[in-house]
Amino acid sequence: MRTTLLSCLVGFALLAFVSPASAAEFLHGETVTIAADDTWEGDLYILAQSVVVEGTVTGDLVVYAQRVKADGDIQGGLIVAGQEILVKGKVGRTSRLAGQAILIDEGATLKGDLVAAGYSLEVAEGATVDGDVVFAGFQAALGGKIEDDVWAAVSRAEVSGSIGRELSITTGLRNGKKMPPPATMWQQLRTIDLPLVDPGLTIRDGASIGGKLTYRSPNEADIEGGAKVTGPIEWMKPQSPTAPAASDNTNYFWDQIKRYITMLLMGILMIVCCPKTTGQTVDQIVQRPIISFLAGFLAVPLSVIGLGLAAALIVAVPMLFGWLTLDGLAGAGAAIAAFGMVLYVGSLLYFFVFGAATLTCITIGRIVFSDHPIASRSRLTLALAFGMVFYVVLTCVPYLSVGVFVAALLFGFGGMLMWLLRGMFSGGSSKNEPILKTDS
């Protein structure tokens, strides 16, 4: 049910930009009114402070406004985003609504589904929805006639009308009071009075559900004696958290051991492939810790910018070869750009997950073991193994793990940036640079 609800809400956002190929009109202003004797052919898009539609729209109606009143005949779909949304007329296809207060008023007829999100949804008595209702928000009051299913995720809900098929709903704890939204949260409502709904799920006398009732709530639903539920009733009560068992602690211990081994192996891979770069970057962090840390605030966003530049190569390189009009080079350029993009993204992800932590751990190990630069792979690996013990332990501490990870990220990226700048401005290796020992 959660997957279905999420898919519908995502679909609401995406489909807001999709409409059948037909003529379209665009209106804007402080107040836009479609009179009762007006007929608009094709789709109509409106951007305004206040919108009143009393006439006929043969296509879709798409509105972005603070207050919307749809009291006419909309033969297509209805897509609205606003503070107050009042529907009193007819809608020929699916309605997708997002707002603080949504009211499907008496006499309204929605031929398709109703997909909505917001603070409050009310389907008043005398209103009809011929399809499904999907809603996510704070409260829902369903007093009209809904032909098919209802899926909802709310804090509180009340059913006093009829649902033709299944009701599947998630509600909050039944320990509060009826309450309107805080007056300071939004601008004052003008056209809609919000209903006051009891906490949890309430099914009133006279209500009817033609299929199964499935609800997830900490409290049992209040189903009054005159309510009718045709199908089975399933109450899914959230389980209270339990203390971890001894086996859970054992599993946690082994998880940390596996995490340590994984990070150690990935760090050794970095040392084997780039020993000189690794050793000199650690030197920069040890010699200039504060500058390296501050440089991390610049290096991290620069790496992300570099990602965008690398992505641009996928377009720029083929275009460049295309300008040269050499046969086959456009395709080769695209392949080269894509390959370079994969290498850059892979390297960047590796450094985010493992590389920065590796440099930080080697730095810790070097501070403990020696004040001199470490040049051999074996000593870099020893420093890594020792420093990683501290890193893994610190990242297991609640509330401290995020800070340790961020600090390692800044030190790693900052140290790498300092090493690159040093190489650029010093013109290569320095006299005091340690000689790399390839053997252990």
Side-chain angles (χ1 to χ4, degrees), residues 27-34 46-52 65 67 190:
L27 301 177
H28 63 88
E30 183 174 350
T31 301
V32 173
T33 301
I34 307 299
I46 303 177
L47 175 64
Q49 182 78 12
S50 178
V51 175
V52 177
R67 289 178 296 276
R190 297 184 183 180

Side-chain angles (χ1 to χ4, degrees), residues 180 216 238 259 284 311 329 349 359 405:
R216 181 182 179 87
R259 175 170 169 248
Q284 294 299 315
L329 283 184
L349 290 177
L359 294 175
F405 175 78

Side-chain angles (χ1 to χ4, degrees), residues 289-364:
I290 297 178
I291 296 178
S292 297
F293 181 80
L294 295 177
F297 289 96
L298 177 63
V300 173
L302 282 178
S303 66
V304 178
I305 294 173
L307 178 61
L309 294 176
L313 289 176
I314 296 179
V315 177
V317 171
M319 287 180 61
L320 177 62
F321 285 121
W323 292 335
L324 296 176
T325 65
L326 299 177
D327 294 341
L329 283 184
I336 294 172
F339 181 70
M341 182 66 179
V342 171
L343 288 180
Y344 183 85
V345 172
S347 301
L348 186 61
L349 290 177
Y350 173 87
F351 202 79
F352 261 102
V353 179
F354 298 108
T358 296
L359 294 175
T360 303
C361 293
I362 296 176
T363 302
I364 296 173

Side-chain angles (χ1 to χ4, degrees), residues 19-377:
S19 61
S22 59
E25 296 286 345
F26 295 85
L27 301 177
H28 63 88
E30 183 174 350
T31 301
V32 173
T33 301
I34 307 299
D37 55 352
D38 287 344
T39 299
W40 289 80
E41 299 290 340
D43 300 337
L44 179 59
Y45 297 81
I46 303 177
L47 175 64
Q49 182 78 12
S50 178
V51 175
V52 177
V53 178
E54 297 177 339
T56 300
V57 178
T58 62
D60 294 339
L61 175 62
V62 181
V63 181
Y64 180 77
Q66 183 179 1
R67 289 178 296 276
V68 180
K69 180 182 178 183
D71 196 12
D73 183 8
I74 302 166
Q75 298 176 5
L78 177 62
I79 302 172
V80 179
Q83 182 189 11
E84 299 177 80
I85 304 172
L86 173 60
V87 180
K88 296 174 65 71
K90 298 179 180 179
V91 179
R93 294 198 296 267
T94 298
S95 300
R96 305 175 184 92
L97 313 176
Q100 175 189 348
I102 303 171
L103 171 58
I104 312 302
D105 208 358
E106 178 182 359
T109 301
L110 278 57
K111 292 295 183 181
D113 299 333
L114 170 61
V115 182
Y119 180 88
S120 176
L121 169 66
E122 180 181 4
V123 180
E125 182 180 358
T128 302
V129 179
D130 287 345
D132 299 328
V133 172
V134 180
F135 177 67
F138 178 75
Q139 66 177 27
L142 307 178
K145 181 180 180 181
I146 300 170
E147 295 288 352
D148 292 332
D149 301 322
V150 173
W151 293 288
V154 294
S155 175
R156 50 192 66 192
E158 176 181 295
V159 180
S160 57
S162 64
I163 298 174
R165 297 169 58 184
E166 178 182 352
L167 170 60
S168 181
I169 190 168
T170 298
T171 63
L173 188 65
R174 185 185 291 278
N175 64 348
K177 299 179 179 179
K178 293 182 179 180
M179 62 178 185
T184 58
M185 188 175 296
W186 297 288
Q187 296 181 0
Q188 189 66 34
L189 297 174
R190 297 184 183 180
T191 60
I192 297 177
D193 294 325
L194 292 178
L196 299 181
V197 181
D198 289 325
L201 174 61
T202 304
I203 302 179
R204 299 293 186 189
D205 286 331
S208 66
I209 300 174
K212 181 180 179 181
L213 168 60
T214 303
Y215 66 99
R216 181 182 179 87
S217 174
N219 305 107
E220 188 174 2
D222 181 10
I223 304 176
E224 298 181 352
K228 179 182 178 182
V229 180
T230 304
I233 299 175
E234 181 181 358
W235 173 26
M236 295 183 293
K237 186 176 182 181
Q239 298 296 324
S240 301
T242 57
S247 60
D248 295 335
N249 294 329
T250 303
N251 292 335
Y252 178 78
F253 172 77
W254 284 113
D255 287 342
Q256 298 309 315
I257 292 295
K258 289 186 288 186
R259 175 170 169 248
Y260 174 81
I261 294 174
T262 301
M263 294 183 65
L264 180 62
L265 292 176
M266 298 305 292
I268 292 174
L269 177 64
M270 180 175 174
I271 292 172
V272 171
C273 295
C274 309
K276 183 177 179 180
T277 301
T278 303
Q280 292 180 359
T281 302
V282 170
D283 291 341
Q284 294 299 315
I285 299 175
V286 172
Q287 295 168 9
R288 304 174 180 85
I290 297 178
I291 296 178
S292 297
F293 181 80
L294 295 177
F297 289 96
L298 177 63
V300 173
L302 282 178
S303 66
V304 178
I305 294 173
L307 178 61
L309 294 176
L313 289 176
I314 296 179
V315 177
V317 171
M319 287 180 61
L320 177 62
F321 285 121
W323 292 335
L324 296 176
T325 65
L326 299 177
D327 294 341
L329 283 184
I336 294 172
F339 181 70
M341 182 66 179
V342 171
L343 288 180
Y344 183 85
V345 172
S347 301
L348 186 61
L349 290 177
Y350 173 87
F351 202 79
F352 261 102
V353 179
F354 298 108
T358 296
L359 294 175
T360 303
C361 293
I362 296 176
T363 302
I364 296 173
R366 175 184 160 176
I367 292 173
V368 172
F369 284 113
S370 174
D371 292 333
H372 301 288
I374 299 175
S376 67
R377 290 186 176 93

